[in-house]
């Protein structure tokens, strides 16, 4: 079985998380509200992917980040998503690849992917220790 590794990132500001609404034309999870991220490219580390994806998705660069957890996400392919928390960045956030991005309260973030829901629960459980 082929596992496709990905990196997703929780941009956190106060008690809110930035989520994206995926385009209806995306191959996987079309139209879903989720935590932004993307596939690890050949030869890339998780951290290299984190920096590339944050910039590609939001046009900002992480200044402070921490690893949170890794979870499987079965979609049209089996993904292993490595979640990172980014709590400080440079630049002005703008949606580059998603239909839109918006801030949501951590306690009621409307994510449409079970792995993202679990990652948010894990952040709620241990985030203050990160």
């Amino acid at each position: 079985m082929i596992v496709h590794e990905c990196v997703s990132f929780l941009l956190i500001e106060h008690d809110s998380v930035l989520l994206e609404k995926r385009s209806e034309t995306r191959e996987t999870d079309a139209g879903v509200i989720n935590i932004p991220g993307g596939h690890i490219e050949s030869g890339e580390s998780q951290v290299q992917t984190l920096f590339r994806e944050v910039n590609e998705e939001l046009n900002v660069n992480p200044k402070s980040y921490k690893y949170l957890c890794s979870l499987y996400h079965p979609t049209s392919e089996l993904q292993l998503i490595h979640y990172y928390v980014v709590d400080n960045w440079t630049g002005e956030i703008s949606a580059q690849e998603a239909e839109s991005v918006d801030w949501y309260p951590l306690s009621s973030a409307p994510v449409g992917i079970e792995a993202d829901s679990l990652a948010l629960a894990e952040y709620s459980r241990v985030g203050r220790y990160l």
Side-chain angles (χ1 to χ4, degrees):
M1 171 186 324
I2 297 174
V3 176
H4 300 269
E5 290 193 69
C6 302
V7 168
S8 286
F9 45 91
L10 288 76
L11 259 71
I12 303 292
E13 190 168 72
H14 306 293
D15 289 330
S16 297
V17 61
L18 190 75
L19 302 177
E20 69 176 12
K21 181 169 192 265
R22 293 175 64 86
S23 166
E24 295 290 342
T25 60
R26 294 301 296 237
E27 185 177 323
T28 58
D29 304 315
V32 171
I33 294 175
N34 69 324
I35 297 169
H39 287 79
I40 295 175
E41 294 180 357
S42 178
E44 247 182 354
S45 70
Q46 289 179 24
V47 172
Q48 288 170 324
T49 302
L50 171 68
F51 275 77
R52 178 180 53 77
E53 285 292 338
V54 171
N55 187 266
E56 284 179 4
E57 297 277 338
L58 303 174
N59 199 36
V60 297
N61 295 301
K63 284 178 63 178
S64 174
Y65 63 91
K66 294 187 178 56
Y67 171 78
L68 176 64
C69 64
S70 296
L71 298 164
Y72 284 100
H73 172 51
T75 183
S76 59
E77 62 187 22
L78 181 59
Q79 296 177 351
L80 177 58
I81 304 174
H82 306 287
Y83 290 91
Y84 285 80
V85 175
V86 177
D87 57 8
N88 197 352
W89 56 89
T90 59
E92 188 172 325
I93 294 170
S94 63
Q96 300 296 303
E97 295 184 356
E99 185 176 304
S100 63
V101 293
D102 290 296
W103 291 99
Y104 294 91
L106 278 163
S107 59
S108 60
V111 291
I113 294 172
E114 185 177 2
D116 286 0
S117 293
L118 293 169
L120 287 171
E122 182 67 357
Y123 178 77
S124 293
R125 189 176 75 87
V126 301
R128 68 175 186 231
Y129 299 110
L130 296 177

